[in-house]
Amino acid sequence: MFTKNRKKEALVAEGGGFRNIFSAGVLDAFISTKFDPFDVYIGVSGGAMALSSFVSRQYKRNYKIITEIAAHPDFLSAKRYISGGDFVGLDLLIDIENKVYPFDRESALMNITGKDFIIVCTDVDSGQPYYARPAKENWDNYLKASGALPLFIRKPIKLRENRFLDGALSSPLPVSRALELGAQRITVIRTHPQGYVENTIENTIETIISSYLYSDLPMLQKIIKEHVGIYNASIELIENPPKGVEIVQIAPPETLESGVALHTRKSLREDYRLGLELGLDFVKNI
């Protein structure tokens, strides 16, 4: 139940590969200050993984996971990719999440009781976003599907009758979904600087590669081709929200040192620290 003057709040976390160590810093700041006024949580790709550790209250779990996989020689493999496998070792990531830094599902489920927690995936057959509400038994499966980066992963992740890839393809900044769920105050954790928009050059390259790699998936090719427009429309919504809706962003002031797949130990450490600082500033100023 919401009080008469209380606005329904949502927390949205953008994806970004290794850039999500910034998101991990922001959310660790929230954990350390016991800041969680949110009723809705929506995560995309690495943002969904960061939000999962947030709702389970596992401080620094995502920092440890990201720095460990970054140092693992088998996580990113051009040799495996050339040989017909995936460039990114998603199974290795899930294995580290489960065995080395196990996810506290019980605490997560308890902390989201009466709330909405959504992991965004892209249905490759329809080209539409799929907003999954994970349960204890399938939480990892949806995280894997949401983080299956196109081009880096050759085959979609199959869950029951659906096939999925990265949620960022169809819903990179799912603010519209938060609005549909009645949110009136939305906090967006970005992995790009505020004001960043997608460019058509990189998207053209992805379109060309996808036409070869996903020749049997026409709707997936279509959504990759349209991705720039989808992303930039989300930015337009964030910057011009409907009347009565407040949208705030926690974003790095400049491009992060870490990239989707590129990183150094120094870049990960400094991007995490930046997220931690901006998260603490956000809580203090709010």
Side-chain angles (χ1 to χ4, degrees):
M1 294 291 291
F2 301 105
T3 60
K4 183 178 180 181
N5 297 319
R6 184 182 182 279
K7 290 187 174 182
K8 188 174 184 179
E9 298 203 34
L11 179 60
V12 173
E14 183 177 18
F18 284 109
R19 289 196 301 261
N20 279 116
I21 202 157
F22 171 82
S23 315
V26 173
L27 293 168
D28 279 345
F30 287 5
I31 292 175
S32 68
T33 55
K34 297 181 171 59
F35 178 77
D36 184 7
F38 307 106
D39 312 292
V40 177
Y41 311 86
I42 309 178
V44 183
S45 191
M49 188 175 77
L51 281 181
S52 297
S53 295
F54 172 62
V55 297
S56 65
R57 304 294 188 260
Q58 290 177 271
Y59 183 77
K60 242 182 172 182
R61 175 176 179 261
N62 268 71
Y63 175 82
K64 294 173 182 176
I65 290 171
I66 292 172
T67 53
E68 177 138 345
I69 62 171
H72 201 291
D74 293 330
F75 181 62
L76 301 177
S77 174
K79 181 179 179 180
R80 181 175 59 221
Y81 195 66
I82 293 170
S83 300
D86 294 332
F87 181 66
V88 176
L90 280 181
D91 288 333
L92 174 64
L93 171 59
I94 298 300
D95 197 49
I96 290 173
E97 283 187 336
N98 282 328
K99 295 179 180 178
V100 184
Y101 307 106
F103 177 45
D104 187 350
R105 290 168 178 77
E106 286 75 16
S107 292
L109 289 167
M110 180 181 68
N111 291 328
I112 62 172
T113 300
K115 303 182 178 185
D116 272 312
F117 188 98
I118 294 170
I119 298 173
V120 185
C121 308
T122 296
D123 187 311
V124 300
D125 294 300
S126 68
Q128 296 298 311
Y130 183 87
Y131 299 108
R133 288 181 169 86
K136 182 178 179 180
E137 65 276 5
N138 61 20
W139 202 300
D140 282 341
N141 292 335
Y142 283 119
L143 285 179
K144 182 178 179 181
S146 183
L149 296 170
L151 310 186
F152 288 3
I153 301 296
R154 291 182 179 273
K155 294 183 179 180
I157 308 300
K158 188 172 183 180
L159 300 178
R160 294 186 178 179
E161 300 304 315
N162 299 87
R163 296 186 295 172
F164 300 112
L165 280 176
D166 183 16
L169 283 171
S170 57
S171 188
L173 288 162
V175 171
S176 60
R177 184 60 174 171
L179 292 172
E180 289 169 3
L181 293 171
Q184 297 168 291
R185 180 180 289 126
I186 304 170
T187 300
V188 185
I189 301 176
R190 301 288 305 280
T191 53
H192 287 293
Q194 192 164 324
Y196 168 86
V197 293
E198 291 276 7
N199 66 74
T200 56
I201 297 175
E202 183 177 348
N203 186 249
T204 300
I205 296 171
E206 291 179 353
T207 300
I208 294 170
I209 297 173
S210 70
S211 65
Y212 165 74
L213 199 60
Y214 306 121
S215 58
D216 59 335
L217 296 170
M219 294 309 296
L220 177 58
Q221 292 183 56
K222 181 176 183 290
I223 203 72
I224 290 175
K225 188 181 295 185
E226 295 173 350
H227 176 73
V228 168
I230 294 170
Y231 190 94
N232 294 342
S234 299
I235 298 298
E236 178 69 21
L237 178 59
I238 289 172
E239 295 179 348
N240 299 282
K243 185 177 180 180
V245 174
E246 177 187 1
I247 301 178
V248 295
Q249 301 180 65
I250 304 175
E254 299 177 349
T255 301
L256 293 171
E257 292 192 32
S258 307
V260 173
L262 299 175
H263 62 276
T264 63
R265 283 185 293 180
K266 179 176 179 288
S267 73
L268 293 174
R269 184 173 63 250
E270 293 189 357
D271 289 342
Y272 172 80
R273 186 177 299 163
L274 176 63
L276 193 65
E277 291 173 359
L278 293 185
L280 291 171
D281 287 345
F282 179 82
V283 174
K284 179 181 178 181
N285 292 330
I286 208 169

Short mmCIF file of all heavy atoms in Angstrom, two decimals, residues 114-155:
data_model
loop_
_atom_site.label_atom_id
_atom_site.label_comp_id
_atom_site.label_asym_id
_atom_site.label_seq_id
_atom_site.Cartn_x
_atom_site.Cartn_y
_atom_site.Cartn_z
N GLY A 114 6.28 -8.26 -2.52
CA GLY A 114 5.35 -7.16 -2.75
C GLY A 114 5.85 -6.13 -3.74
O GLY A 114 5.21 -5.10 -3.95
N LYS A 115 6.99 -6.40 -4.35
CA LYS A 115 7.57 -5.47 -5.32
C LYS A 115 7.72 -6.18 -6.68
O LYS A 115 7.44 -7.36 -6.80
CB LYS A 115 8.94 -4.98 -4.84
CG LYS A 115 8.92 -4.30 -3.47
CD LYS A 115 10.31 -3.81 -3.10
CE LYS A 115 10.32 -3.09 -1.77
NZ LYS A 115 11.65 -2.51 -1.46
N ASP A 116 8.19 -5.42 -7.67
CA ASP A 116 8.46 -5.98 -9.00
C ASP A 116 9.96 -6.02 -9.23
O ASP A 116 10.64 -5.00 -9.06
CB ASP A 116 7.81 -5.13 -10.09
CG ASP A 116 6.38 -5.56 -10.39
OD1 ASP A 116 6.15 -6.77 -10.57
OD2 ASP A 116 5.51 -4.68 -10.44
N PHE A 117 10.47 -7.19 -9.64
CA PHE A 117 11.86 -7.31 -10.07
C PHE A 117 11.84 -7.90 -11.46
O PHE A 117 11.31 -8.99 -11.68
CB PHE A 117 12.67 -8.20 -9.12
CG PHE A 117 14.15 -8.18 -9.43
CD1 PHE A 117 15.01 -7.36 -8.70
CD2 PHE A 117 14.69 -8.96 -10.44
CE1 PHE A 117 16.37 -7.32 -8.98
CE2 PHE A 117 16.04 -8.93 -10.74
CZ PHE A 117 16.89 -8.10 -10.00
N ILE A 118 12.43 -7.18 -12.41
CA ILE A 118 12.33 -7.57 -13.83
C ILE A 118 13.71 -7.64 -14.47
O ILE A 118 14.53 -6.72 -14.31
CB ILE A 118 11.45 -6.57 -14.59
CG1 ILE A 118 10.00 -6.66 -14.08
CG2 ILE A 118 11.50 -6.82 -16.09
CD1 ILE A 118 9.10 -5.56 -14.59
N ILE A 119 13.95 -8.74 -15.18
CA ILE A 119 15.16 -8.91 -15.99
C ILE A 119 14.74 -8.82 -17.45
O ILE A 119 13.87 -9.56 -17.90
CB ILE A 119 15.84 -10.25 -15.70
CG1 ILE A 119 16.29 -10.33 -14.24
CG2 ILE A 119 17.02 -10.47 -16.64
CD1 ILE A 119 16.83 -11.70 -13.84
N VAL A 120 15.36 -7.92 -18.19
CA VAL A 120 14.96 -7.68 -19.58
C VAL A 120 15.77 -8.57 -20.52
O VAL A 120 17.01 -8.59 -20.48
CB VAL A 120 15.17 -6.21 -19.97
CG1 VAL A 120 14.64 -5.96 -21.38
CG2 VAL A 120 14.48 -5.29 -18.97
N CYS A 121 15.07 -9.31 -21.36
CA CYS A 121 15.68 -10.12 -22.42
C CYS A 121 15.05 -9.71 -23.75
O CYS A 121 14.03 -9.02 -23.78
CB CYS A 121 15.43 -11.61 -22.19
SG CYS A 121 15.87 -12.22 -20.55
N THR A 122 15.67 -10.14 -24.85
CA THR A 122 15.08 -9.91 -26.16
C THR A 122 14.70 -11.24 -26.79
O THR A 122 15.54 -12.14 -26.92
CB THR A 122 16.07 -9.18 -27.10
OG1 THR A 122 16.34 -7.88 -26.57
CG2 THR A 122 15.48 -9.04 -28.50
N ASP A 123 13.43 -11.39 -27.13
CA ASP A 123 12.95 -12.58 -27.83
C ASP A 123 13.38 -12.47 -29.29
O ASP A 123 12.92 -11.58 -30.02
CB ASP A 123 11.43 -12.66 -27.72
CG ASP A 123 10.86 -13.96 -28.29
OD1 ASP A 123 11.25 -14.32 -29.42
OD2 ASP A 123 10.03 -14.59 -27.62
N VAL A 124 14.28 -13.34 -29.73
CA VAL A 124 14.87 -13.19 -31.06
C VAL A 124 13.89 -13.55 -32.18
O VAL A 124 14.10 -13.15 -33.34
CB VAL A 124 16.15 -14.04 -31.20
CG1 VAL A 124 17.19 -13.62 -30.18
CG2 VAL A 124 15.85 -15.53 -31.08
N ASP A 125 12.84 -14.27 -31.88
CA ASP A 125 11.88 -14.66 -32.91
C ASP A 125 10.84 -13.57 -33.17
O ASP A 125 10.36 -13.42 -34.29
CB ASP A 125 11.19 -15.97 -32.54
CG ASP A 125 12.17 -17.14 -32.52
OD1 ASP A 125 12.75 -17.42 -33.58
OD2 ASP A 125 12.38 -17.73 -31.45
N SER A 126 10.52 -12.82 -32.12
CA SER A 126 9.55 -11.73 -32.30
C SER A 126 10.22 -10.37 -32.42
O SER A 126 9.62 -9.42 -32.92
CB SER A 126 8.57 -11.70 -31.11
OG SER A 126 9.25 -11.30 -29.92
N GLY A 127 11.46 -10.28 -31.92
CA GLY A 127 12.16 -9.00 -31.91
C GLY A 127 11.66 -8.07 -30.83
O GLY A 127 12.00 -6.88 -30.82
N GLN A 128 10.89 -8.60 -29.87
CA GLN A 128 10.29 -7.79 -28.82
C GLN A 128 10.99 -8.04 -27.47
O GLN A 128 11.54 -9.10 -27.23
CB GLN A 128 8.81 -8.13 -28.68
CG GLN A 128 7.98 -7.79 -29.90
CD GLN A 128 8.00 -6.31 -30.22
OE1 GLN A 128 7.77 -5.48 -29.34
NE2 GLN A 128 8.29 -5.98 -31.47
N PRO A 129 10.95 -7.04 -26.59
CA PRO A 129 11.50 -7.26 -25.25
C PRO A 129 10.65 -8.24 -24.47
O PRO A 129 9.42 -8.28 -24.63
CB PRO A 129 11.47 -5.87 -24.62
CG PRO A 129 10.45 -5.11 -25.39
CD PRO A 129 10.46 -5.66 -26.77
N TYR A 130 11.29 -9.03 -23.64
CA TYR A 130 10.61 -9.96 -22.74
C TYR A 130 10.98 -9.56 -21.33
O TYR A 130 12.16 -9.58 -20.96
CB TYR A 130 11.04 -11.40 -23.03
CG TYR A 130 10.34 -12.44 -22.19
CD1 TYR A 130 9.11 -12.97 -22.60
CD2 TYR A 130 10.89 -12.90 -20.99
CE1 TYR A 130 8.45 -13.93 -21.84
CE2 TYR A 130 10.23 -13.85 -20.23
CZ TYR A 130 9.02 -14.36 -20.65
OH TYR A 130 8.37 -15.30 -19.89
N TYR A 131 9.99 -9.17 -20.54
CA TYR A 131 10.23 -8.68 -19.19
C TYR A 131 9.99 -9.81 -18.20
O TYR A 131 8.86 -10.05 -17.77
CB TYR A 131 9.33 -7.47 -18.91
CG TYR A 131 9.58 -6.31 -19.86
CD1 TYR A 131 8.66 -5.99 -20.86
CD2 TYR A 131 10.74 -5.56 -19.77
CE1 TYR A 131 8.88 -4.93 -21.73
CE2 TYR A 131 10.98 -4.50 -20.64
CZ TYR A 131 10.05 -4.19 -21.61
OH TYR A 131 10.28 -3.15 -22.47
N ALA A 132 11.06 -10.50 -17.86
CA ALA A 132 10.95 -11.70 -17.01
C ALA A 132 10.94 -11.33 -15.54
O ALA A 132 11.74 -10.51 -15.09
CB ALA A 132 12.12 -12.63 -17.30
N ARG A 133 10.02 -11.94 -14.82
CA ARG A 133 10.01 -11.85 -13.35
C ARG A 133 10.60 -13.17 -12.83
O ARG A 133 9.90 -14.18 -12.78
CB ARG A 133 8.60 -11.64 -12.84
CG ARG A 133 8.05 -10.24 -13.12
CD ARG A 133 6.64 -10.07 -12.57
NE ARG A 133 6.20 -8.70 -12.60
CZ ARG A 133 5.63 -8.10 -13.64
NH1 ARG A 133 5.45 -8.80 -14.76
NH2 ARG A 133 5.25 -6.83 -13.58
N PRO A 134 11.87 -13.16 -12.45
CA PRO A 134 12.54 -14.41 -12.12
C PRO A 134 12.05 -15.03 -10.82
O PRO A 134 11.65 -14.31 -9.89
CB PRO A 134 14.01 -14.00 -12.00
CG PRO A 134 13.95 -12.57 -11.55
CD PRO A 134 12.76 -11.99 -12.26
N ALA A 135 12.10 -16.35 -10.77
CA ALA A 135 11.82 -17.11 -9.55
C ALA A 135 13.12 -17.74 -9.08
O ALA A 135 14.15 -17.69 -9.76
CB ALA A 135 10.77 -18.17 -9.83
N LYS A 136 13.08 -18.37 -7.93
CA LYS A 136 14.29 -18.95 -7.34
C LYS A 136 14.96 -19.93 -8.30
O LYS A 136 16.19 -19.93 -8.43
CB LYS A 136 13.92 -19.66 -6.04
CG LYS A 136 15.09 -20.28 -5.31
CD LYS A 136 14.65 -20.91 -4.00
CE LYS A 136 15.82 -21.55 -3.27
NZ LYS A 136 15.40 -22.17 -1.98
N GLU A 137 14.17 -20.72 -9.01
CA GLU A 137 14.73 -21.80 -9.82
C GLU A 137 15.22 -21.33 -11.19
O GLU A 137 15.96 -22.07 -11.87
CB GLU A 137 13.71 -22.92 -10.00
CG GLU A 137 12.46 -22.55 -10.79
CD GLU A 137 11.38 -21.88 -9.94
OE1 GLU A 137 11.64 -21.61 -8.74
OE2 GLU A 137 10.29 -21.65 -10.48
N ASN A 138 14.83 -20.14 -11.65
CA ASN A 138 15.24 -19.74 -13.01
C ASN A 138 15.95 -18.38 -13.06
O ASN A 138 16.18 -17.85 -14.15
CB ASN A 138 14.03 -19.73 -13.95
CG ASN A 138 12.95 -18.74 -13.52
OD1 ASN A 138 13.20 -17.81 -12.76
ND2 ASN A 138 11.73 -18.95 -14.00
N TRP A 139 16.31 -17.86 -11.91
CA TRP A 139 16.94 -16.52 -11.85
C TRP A 139 18.20 -16.48 -12.71
O TRP A 139 18.39 -15.59 -13.54
CB TRP A 139 17.27 -16.16 -10.41
CG TRP A 139 17.42 -14.70 -10.12
CD1 TRP A 139 18.33 -13.84 -10.69
CD2 TRP A 139 16.64 -13.92 -9.22
NE1 TRP A 139 18.18 -12.57 -10.18
CE2 TRP A 139 17.15 -12.59 -9.28
CE3 TRP A 139 15.59 -14.20 -8.36
CZ2 TRP A 139 16.64 -11.54 -8.51
CZ3 TRP A 139 15.07 -13.15 -7.59
CH2 TRP A 139 15.59 -11.86 -7.67
N ASP A 140 19.09 -17.47 -12.54
CA ASP A 140 20.34 -17.52 -13.30
C ASP A 140 20.10 -17.64 -14.80
O ASP A 140 20.83 -17.06 -15.61
CB ASP A 140 21.20 -18.70 -12.84
CG ASP A 140 21.93 -18.41 -11.53
OD1 ASP A 140 22.05 -17.22 -11.18
OD2 ASP A 140 22.36 -19.36 -10.88
N ASN A 141 19.08 -18.40 -15.17
CA ASN A 141 18.79 -18.60 -16.60
C ASN A 141 18.44 -17.28 -17.28
O ASN A 141 18.88 -17.01 -18.40
CB ASN A 141 17.66 -19.60 -16.78
CG ASN A 141 18.05 -21.01 -16.36
OD1 ASN A 141 19.22 -21.35 -16.38
ND2 ASN A 141 17.07 -21.81 -15.98
N TYR A 142 17.63 -16.47 -16.60
CA TYR A 142 17.26 -15.19 -17.19
C TYR A 142 18.42 -14.20 -17.18
O TYR A 142 18.56 -13.39 -18.11
CB TYR A 142 16.04 -14.60 -16.48
CG TYR A 142 14.75 -15.27 -16.91
CD1 TYR A 142 13.94 -15.93 -15.99
CD2 TYR A 142 14.34 -15.25 -18.24
CE1 TYR A 142 12.76 -16.55 -16.38
CE2 TYR A 142 13.16 -15.86 -18.65
CZ TYR A 142 12.38 -16.51 -17.71
OH TYR A 142 11.23 -17.13 -18.12
N LEU A 143 19.28 -14.25 -16.17
CA LEU A 143 20.47 -13.41 -16.18
C LEU A 143 21.37 -13.78 -17.36
O LEU A 143 21.92 -12.91 -18.04
CB LEU A 143 21.25 -13.57 -14.87
CG LEU A 143 20.69 -12.90 -13.62
CD1 LEU A 143 21.58 -13.18 -12.42
CD2 LEU A 143 20.54 -11.38 -13.81
N LYS A 144 21.51 -15.07 -17.59
CA LYS A 144 22.33 -15.53 -18.71
C LYS A 144 21.74 -15.06 -20.04
O LYS A 144 22.47 -14.57 -20.91
CB LYS A 144 22.42 -17.06 -18.69
CG LYS A 144 23.29 -17.65 -19.79
CD LYS A 144 23.37 -19.16 -19.65
CE LYS A 144 24.21 -19.78 -20.76
NZ LYS A 144 24.28 -21.26 -20.65
N ALA A 145 20.42 -15.18 -20.19
CA ALA A 145 19.77 -14.76 -21.43
C ALA A 145 19.89 -13.26 -21.64
O ALA A 145 20.18 -12.79 -22.74
CB ALA A 145 18.30 -15.17 -21.40
N SER A 146 19.69 -12.49 -20.57
CA SER A 146 19.75 -11.03 -20.68
C SER A 146 21.15 -10.55 -21.03
O SER A 146 21.33 -9.53 -21.69
CB SER A 146 19.30 -10.39 -19.36
OG SER A 146 19.30 -8.97 -19.46
N GLY A 147 22.17 -11.32 -20.60
CA GLY A 147 23.55 -10.92 -20.83
C GLY A 147 24.19 -11.54 -22.06
O GLY A 147 25.40 -11.38 -22.27
N ALA A 148 23.41 -12.24 -22.87
CA ALA A 148 23.95 -12.89 -24.07
C ALA A 148 24.13 -11.86 -25.17
O ALA A 148 23.24 -11.63 -25.99
CB ALA A 148 23.02 -14.02 -24.52
N LEU A 149 25.29 -11.24 -25.20
CA LEU A 149 25.54 -10.13 -26.11
C LEU A 149 25.49 -10.59 -27.57
O LEU A 149 26.13 -11.57 -27.93
CB LEU A 149 26.91 -9.52 -25.83
CG LEU A 149 27.09 -8.87 -24.45
CD1 LEU A 149 28.55 -8.53 -24.24
CD2 LEU A 149 26.23 -7.63 -24.32
N PRO A 150 24.75 -9.88 -28.41
CA PRO A 150 24.70 -10.25 -29.82
C PRO A 150 26.09 -10.14 -30.45
O PRO A 150 26.90 -9.30 -30.04
CB PRO A 150 23.74 -9.21 -30.42
CG PRO A 150 23.82 -8.06 -29.48
CD PRO A 150 24.02 -8.64 -28.13
N LEU A 151 26.35 -10.97 -31.41
CA LEU A 151 27.62 -11.08 -32.10
C LEU A 151 28.68 -11.80 -31.27
O LEU A 151 29.44 -12.61 -31.78
CB LEU A 151 28.16 -9.71 -32.55
CG LEU A 151 27.18 -8.82 -33.32
CD1 LEU A 151 27.88 -7.57 -33.82
CD2 LEU A 151 26.54 -9.55 -34.47
N PHE A 152 28.73 -11.54 -29.96
CA PHE A 152 29.66 -12.25 -29.08
C PHE A 152 29.17 -13.67 -28.79
O PHE A 152 29.95 -14.56 -28.48
CB PHE A 152 29.85 -11.51 -27.76
CG PHE A 152 30.65 -10.24 -27.87
CD1 PHE A 152 31.11 -9.78 -29.09
CD2 PHE A 152 30.93 -9.49 -26.75
CE1 PHE A 152 31.85 -8.61 -29.18
CE2 PHE A 152 31.67 -8.33 -26.82
CZ PHE A 152 32.13 -7.88 -28.05
N ILE A 153 27.83 -13.85 -28.85
CA ILE A 153 27.20 -15.15 -28.61
C ILE A 153 26.57 -15.60 -29.92
O ILE A 153 25.76 -14.89 -30.52
CB ILE A 153 26.11 -15.04 -27.51
CG1 ILE A 153 26.72 -14.53 -26.21
CG2 ILE A 153 25.43 -16.39 -27.31
CD1 ILE A 153 27.74 -15.44 -25.57
N ARG A 154 26.94 -16.78 -30.38
CA ARG A 154 26.49 -17.23 -31.70
C ARG A 154 25.03 -17.70 -31.71
O ARG A 154 24.30 -17.44 -32.66
CB ARG A 154 27.39 -18.37 -32.20
CG ARG A 154 28.79 -17.90 -32.54
CD ARG A 154 29.64 -19.04 -33.06
NE ARG A 154 30.98 -18.60 -33.41
CZ ARG A 154 31.32 -18.10 -34.60
NH1 ARG A 154 30.42 -17.99 -35.56
NH2 ARG A 154 32.56 -17.72 -34.84
N LYS A 155 24.62 -18.41 -30.67
CA LYS A 155 23.28 -18.97 -30.64
C LYS A 155 22.49 -18.40 -29.48
O LYS A 155 23.01 -18.25 -28.38
CB LYS A 155 23.33 -20.50 -30.52
CG LYS A 155 23.94 -21.19 -31.74
CD LYS A 155 23.90 -22.69 -31.58
CE LYS A 155 24.49 -23.39 -32.81
NZ LYS A 155 24.46 -24.87 -32.67
#
